[in-house]
Amino acid sequence: QVQLVESGGGLVHPGGSLRLSCAMSGFALDAYTIGWFRQAPGKEREGVSCIGMSDGSTSYADSVKGRFTISRDNAKNTVYLQMHNLKPEDTAVYYCAADLGSLRLVRAVVNGIVPSKVDYWGQGTQVTVSS
């Protein structure tokens, strides 16, 4: 049974930090790219960052470059999203996604072309940035 379980969301003041985790099980991760997406109320889902599980290559959306860092722990089958200097516009439900290969997730993150389908989605975790 494939599972992607996000955790680490919460309420934080502007300028604060959070670390999201995506714990995965039920499939072999090596050939997959793992991505973080977010969706704010009334807005389209957007790609935030992604990482290749085999080579560790990373991509970031312009809106989070320099503030967010994606990383992986292959031994724990977990991907992290460290978020610093959070802004109110970062408020959203954050989802992790797993996709075989890299093309769809990299295009989503870099070009804003969100795929209609990825292989696996997590259930999401809420991040709220507010004073």
Side-chain angles (χ1 to χ4, degrees), residues 3-108:
Q3 285 191 309
L4 281 72
V5 180
E6 301 98 331
S7 60
L11 173 64
V12 64
H13 294 307
S17 298
L18 281 174
R19 189 178 80 157
L20 306 183
S21 299
C22 175
M24 297 165 284
S25 61
F27 65 106
L29 274 66
D30 286 356
Y32 282 77
T33 295
I34 310 301
W36 285 98
F37 289 75
R38 65 186 181 187
Q39 188 164 21
K43 293 191 175 181
E44 298 281 327
R45 189 170 294 193
E46 62 174 346
V48 174
S49 183
C50 63
I51 187 166
M53 293 303 286
S54 61
D55 64 3
S57 59
T58 59
S59 299
Y60 295 92
D62 287 343
S63 59
V64 305
K65 278 181 183 175
R67 300 189 299 124
F68 291 10
T69 302
I70 192 169
S71 61
R72 76 199 197 284
D73 186 333
N74 291 65
K76 295 183 178 179
N77 290 347
T78 300
V79 166
Y80 305 97
L81 187 68
Q82 179 68 56
M83 306 185 293
H84 293 299
N85 191 21
L86 282 160
K87 305 175 182 180
E89 51 264 42
D90 294 316
T91 295
V93 178
Y94 283 70
Y95 300 89
C96 70
D99 208 41
L100 192 63
S102 64
L103 181 61
R104 288 192 293 201
L105 295 195
V106 171
R107 288 175 67 189

